[in-house]
Amino acid sequence: MSDALENFDLEDPVLPRWIKKKALTSGGYPYDEKIDGDAYATQMLQVQRQLALLQHDQAKTGKRIVIVFEGRDAAGKGGSIASYLENLNPRFNMDVALPKPSDREKTQWYFQRYVDWMPAAGEQVLFDRSWYNRAGVEPVMGFCTPAETDKFLEEVPDFEKMLVRDGIHLFKFWLTIGREMQLKRFHDRRHDPLKIWKLSPVDMEALKRFDDYTKARNRMLQTTHTPHAPWRIVFNNDKKRGRLAIMRSVLNALDYEGKDTGLIGEVDDKILLTPKAFMKTHSEL
C-alpha cells in the first residue's frame, strides 16, 4: 500500500487514471461493471416493499432485529443503512452511530452504551459501527490496549449469545472494498463540498494503515464468527449490488407475513460470502 500512496495526492483535484481504472475490480471484486441502473431501481423497489411488510409483521409479532455494519472507512456502511431505512418508520427503525465515548462512558462496562440502544418489541436497530470498534478502529489507532482487545474478543461471543437467547435477531455484516476503491472514495469526499464532512482525521490515518486493518479484521472474524452470531462478508465496490445483497440476506433469513422469496430475489453469492470462503482467497485484502 505504501507504493500506491507514494503516487497518490489526495489534494490533487484530478483523480489519477490508474486509480480510476482499477477501482471497481480492486480487492478481488468479481464484476467489471456496475449493476445496470434500471435493473437496480426495479429490484430495490421490490426489496424495499418486502422490508415494509417485515415492518408491519414486526408491529404485530414484536420481532426485535439488530443489524451491525462494520468495515473499512469509506466501505459504504452509511449508504447501506440509509437505503435499508429509506421507506421505514423512523420511530421503530433506528440508525445508531455513536460518537467516541465520553469520560464517564470510558469507565463503564464496555458494552453498556450499546445495550442502551437495544430494540424493544417491534423495533430494528442498525449500528453504523458497533461494539466491534474494540476489534478494529481502537486497536489499529491505539485507542485501547492490546489487553482490552483480548478481553473483548473473549467476551463478545457470550455477549451476543445473550442477545440471541433473549430473542433478538442479530445480523453482522462486514463491508469490504479494495485499496484503489478506498482511495477513489476518499478522493471523492475530499473534492465534493457535499461530502467533505465525511472525511475525518481517522479516515486520513486509515489510508496508511490498510494492512493493519486487514490483520485486525482477520483476527476478529476468526474469533467472533459463531453459529449464533455469524458474520456475512459483503464485497462493496459496487454499493448498489451490496445494498441489495444485504437486504436480501436479512429478508431471506426471517419469517414474516407476506414474504415472497421470488420478489426478494436470491443473494448474490459472488459478493456475499461466509468468513471461511472469504478468508480462503482474500485474507490479505
Side-chain angles (χ1 to χ4, degrees), residues 104-151:
R104 180 176 182 273
E105 288 172 331
K106 289 177 182 178
T107 68
Q108 295 176 340
W109 176 48
Y110 176 73
F111 296 100
Q112 187 167 336
R113 69 188 191 128
Y114 298 104
V115 170
D116 283 345
W117 288 95
M118 290 299 151
E123 294 180 348
Q124 287 190 87
V125 175
L126 283 67
F127 283 97
D128 185 348
R129 294 201 184 277
S130 66
W131 46 92
Y132 280 99
N133 280 335
R134 183 132 294 180
V137 174
E138 290 186 13
V140 170
M141 298 300 296
F143 297 155
C144 71
T145 67
E148 287 173 325
T149 296
D150 292 344
K151 181 182 179 184

Side-chain angles (χ1 to χ4, degrees), residues 48-67:
Q48 288 184 329
R49 284 175 174 171
Q50 289 292 305
L51 284 174
L53 290 174
L54 172 60
Q55 175 183 246
H56 183 67
D57 181 82
Q58 283 185 264
K60 294 196 299 182
T61 64
K63 280 189 182 72
R64 293 172 292 158
I65 300 171
V66 170
I67 309 179

Side-chain angles (χ1 to χ4, degrees), residues 57-114:
D57 181 82
Q58 283 185 264
K60 294 196 299 182
T61 64
K63 280 189 182 72
R64 293 172 292 158
I65 300 171
V66 170
I67 309 179
V68 168
F69 289 80
E70 292 288 343
R72 296 188 185 276
D73 296 291
K77 298 179 290 295
S80 297
I81 292 171
S83 293
Y84 189 105
L85 296 176
E86 184 177 6
N87 295 295
L88 300 182
N89 188 334
R91 291 182 60 189
F92 306 106
N93 302 272
M94 291 154 281
D95 174 6
V96 177
L98 299 183
K100 67 179 183 180
S102 66
D103 290 342
R104 180 176 182 273
E105 288 172 331
K106 289 177 182 178
T107 68
Q108 295 176 340
W109 176 48
Y110 176 73
F111 296 100
Q112 187 167 336
R113 69 188 191 128
Y114 298 104

Side-chain angles (χ1 to χ4, degrees), residues 89-274:
N89 188 334
R91 291 182 60 189
F92 306 106
N93 302 272
M94 291 154 281
D95 174 6
V96 177
L98 299 183
K100 67 179 183 180
S102 66
D103 290 342
R104 180 176 182 273
E105 288 172 331
K106 289 177 182 178
T107 68
Q108 295 176 340
W109 176 48
Y110 176 73
F111 296 100
Q112 187 167 336
R113 69 188 191 128
Y114 298 104
V115 170
D116 283 345
W117 288 95
M118 290 299 151
E123 294 180 348
Q124 287 190 87
V125 175
L126 283 67
F127 283 97
D128 185 348
R129 294 201 184 277
S130 66
W131 46 92
Y132 280 99
N133 280 335
R134 183 132 294 180
V137 174
E138 290 186 13
V140 170
M141 298 300 296
F143 297 155
C144 71
T145 67
E148 287 173 325
T149 296
D150 292 344
K151 181 182 179 184
F152 168 81
L153 292 173
E154 179 182 349
E155 293 179 344
V156 70
D158 290 332
F159 170 69
E160 291 173 349
K161 186 176 289 186
M162 286 190 291
L163 301 181
V164 174
R165 281 180 173 173
D166 199 59
I168 289 176
H169 298 276
L170 175 62
F171 297 88
K172 302 189 303 189
F173 293 101
W174 173 272
L175 277 57
T176 185
I177 55 175
R179 294 180 174 185
E180 286 80 8
M181 180 55 77
Q182 187 181 55
L183 292 175
K184 180 182 182 301
R185 291 182 183 172
F186 277 10
H187 187 273
D188 291 345
R189 291 179 178 184
R190 176 65 185 87
H191 298 283
D192 185 339
L194 298 179
K195 295 181 180 179
I196 195 169
W197 63 270
K198 295 183 177 182
L199 201 59
S200 71
V202 173
D203 293 332
M204 300 299 293
E205 191 63 30
L207 284 174
K208 309 172 188 176
R209 305 195 184 197
F210 193 97
D211 292 336
D212 292 333
Y213 273 102
T214 296
K215 294 175 183 176
R217 177 205 65 203
N218 290 350
R219 185 186 182 198
M220 179 198 74
L221 293 177
Q222 290 167 354
T223 56
T224 65
H225 176 67
T226 60
H228 59 271
W231 280 102
R232 295 165 170 87
I233 314 301
V234 183
F235 283 108
N236 210 39
N237 282 4
D238 181 354
K239 296 178 182 179
K240 292 180 178 179
R241 274 197 178 96
R243 292 167 186 171
L244 288 171
I246 290 167
M247 296 178 189
R248 286 169 170 160
S249 182
V250 173
L251 290 168
N252 280 321
L254 297 172
D255 293 322
Y256 57 93
E257 186 177 344
K259 181 175 181 176
D260 188 325
T261 55
L263 293 178
I264 295 170
E266 295 183 1
V267 176
D268 186 345
D269 59 9
K270 291 183 179 179
I271 64 167
L272 194 146
L273 278 68
T274 65

